[in-house]
Amino acid sequence: MALRFSKMHGNGNDFVVIDSRDGALALSVATMRSIADRHTGVGFDQLLSVEPARDGASAFYYGIWNADGSPSGQCGNGVRCVAAWLHRAGELGLDETVQIQSPSGPVAVRLIDAHTVTVDMGEPIFEPIRIPFDAPNISDRYALAADGQALEIGTVSMGNPHAVIVVDDLAAPALERLGPAVTGHQRFREGVNAGFVQKVSPGHLRLRVHERGAGWTQACGTGACAAVAVLRQRGEVDPQVRVDLPGGSLRIDWRGPGERLWMTGPASFVFEGEWPDT
Ligand SMILES: N[C@H](CCC[C@H](N)C(=O)O)C(=O)O
């Protein structure tokens, strides 16, 4: 049976969104990878499914798979696109807050307009065992050897694992190797999204992310949340931060440990399509 999908993106982080409101999506990794192929398929960083809620409290569940077919617990740019998709489907009104269940737990979304969404992303998680990251105790910074370099990282989970490295130059050639080296580092037994962040001011960051399962992306929503969480925990950024990524900007609001973190940004629809004979 042909598979109908919507192509969407959040600041250039692109998605194939599948309407699975009639039941859980069952696609093989091979089929996902075929659809993800940017030459012979549709192309996506992540595939998202919209499914019936499983927790008896949320309006819907959404599933997340990277371009390599690996699953993830959360997708910041993706959940904004799911909210915009639900609005286009007549399931969500403007200014209406609704709970969406993700593989890592519920988040709450609210459409400011048809293309701008605010998300309550919950509390950042810093305990190494919950990221997961191999470290004897919790800290706001860790030493990590990668690609022959001695790095200082912060690490946090937004429902998916993130490492955050402060750099002076986002265009440094060394980052091209460092990204994959951190993403596949053995101390992150489930892999990690590697964010490289430049501090412009306490209210303004620039960020590039080498994503687990997708590589360098134009934007990473949970990566922006993670960068702010790590730097705010260190006392180095304001409660509201603008994060510029290669594909666009996000606004992150976080008062600090014990508080919930909010992300606001765009969600764009590109086209509808049909994938044959799945
Ligand atoms: N690659 C991520 C999932 C997508 C996250 C990103 N696209 C976002 O907007 O948060 C992971 O494996 O955890």
Side-chain angles (χ1 to χ4, degrees):
M1 182 182 75
L3 192 68
R4 291 199 54 72
F5 66 85
S6 300
K7 183 73 192 275
M8 302 185 75
H9 75 88
N11 286 331
N13 181 201
D14 66 330
F15 309 106
V16 160
V17 182
I18 307 285
D19 182 355
S20 295
R21 286 176 290 178
D22 58 359
L25 181 69
L27 282 185
S28 68
V29 167
T31 298
M32 288 186 186
R33 287 182 174 179
S34 298
I35 301 170
D37 191 295
R38 295 195 182 281
H39 300 287
T40 59
V42 178
F44 64 74
D45 291 327
Q46 281 83 35
L47 183 144
L48 311 174
S49 65
V50 181
E51 305 180 18
R54 305 171 180 181
D55 60 4
S58 301
F60 293 94
Y61 171 93
Y62 91 109
I64 309 150
W65 292 269
N66 291 305
D68 68 355
S70 62
S72 176
Q74 194 56 265
C75 183
N77 291 321
V79 74
R80 296 198 317 274
C81 286
V82 166
W85 187 93
L86 288 169
H87 177 61
R88 283 174 62 89
E91 298 269 18
L92 179 59
L94 293 182
D95 235 6
E96 178 188 351
T97 297
V98 69
Q99 186 171 290
I100 304 286
Q101 186 187 0
S102 74
S104 64
V107 293
V109 299
R110 180 170 63 86
L111 280 154
I112 294 172
D113 61 45
H115 308 288
T116 311
V117 186
T118 287
V119 188
D120 170 356
M121 297 291 289
E123 276 188 51
I125 296 165
F126 293 99
E127 293 86 354
I129 195 165
R130 296 177 64 196
I131 292 174
F133 175 59
D134 177 14
N137 47 43
I138 193 168
S139 170
D140 67 358
R141 64 199 73 217
Y142 304 86
L144 189 84
D147 194 38
Q149 296 191 47
L151 303 178
E152 178 183 87
I153 69 164
T155 182
V156 64
S157 173
M158 293 305 304
N160 60 344
H162 286 271
V164 177
I165 300 103
V166 176
V167 296
D168 296 328
D169 178 7
L170 288 175
L175 298 194
E176 298 314 312
R177 289 167 48 102
L178 213 43
V182 174
T183 294
H185 200 283
Q186 62 187 15
R187 291 178 66 185
F188 290 96
R189 69 175 181 276
E190 293 178 5
V192 68
N193 299 286
F196 297 88
V197 65
Q198 182 182 24
K199 293 186 286 186
V200 178
S201 73
H204 185 192
L205 301 176
R206 289 202 185 99
L207 177 69
R208 287 180 68 197
V209 182
H210 185 270
E211 287 197 29
R212 176 181 66 171
W216 294 106
T217 57
Q218 286 293 298
C220 180
T222 51
C225 299
V228 172
V230 163
L231 294 180
R232 180 125 181 94
Q233 187 198 33
R234 294 179 184 172
E236 297 178 5
V237 292
D238 296 338
Q240 182 172 104
V241 181
R242 172 182 150 190
V243 182
D244 290 344
L245 298 113
S249 295
L250 293 173
R251 194 186 93 190
I252 309 295
D253 293 89
W254 189 50
R255 285 193 294 266
E259 300 283 350
R260 305 178 75 81
L261 182 146
W262 300 77
M263 168 190 62
T264 301
S268 304
F269 172 80
V270 185
F271 66 88
E272 300 280 357
E274 195 167 277
W275 183 261
D277 59 76
T278 43

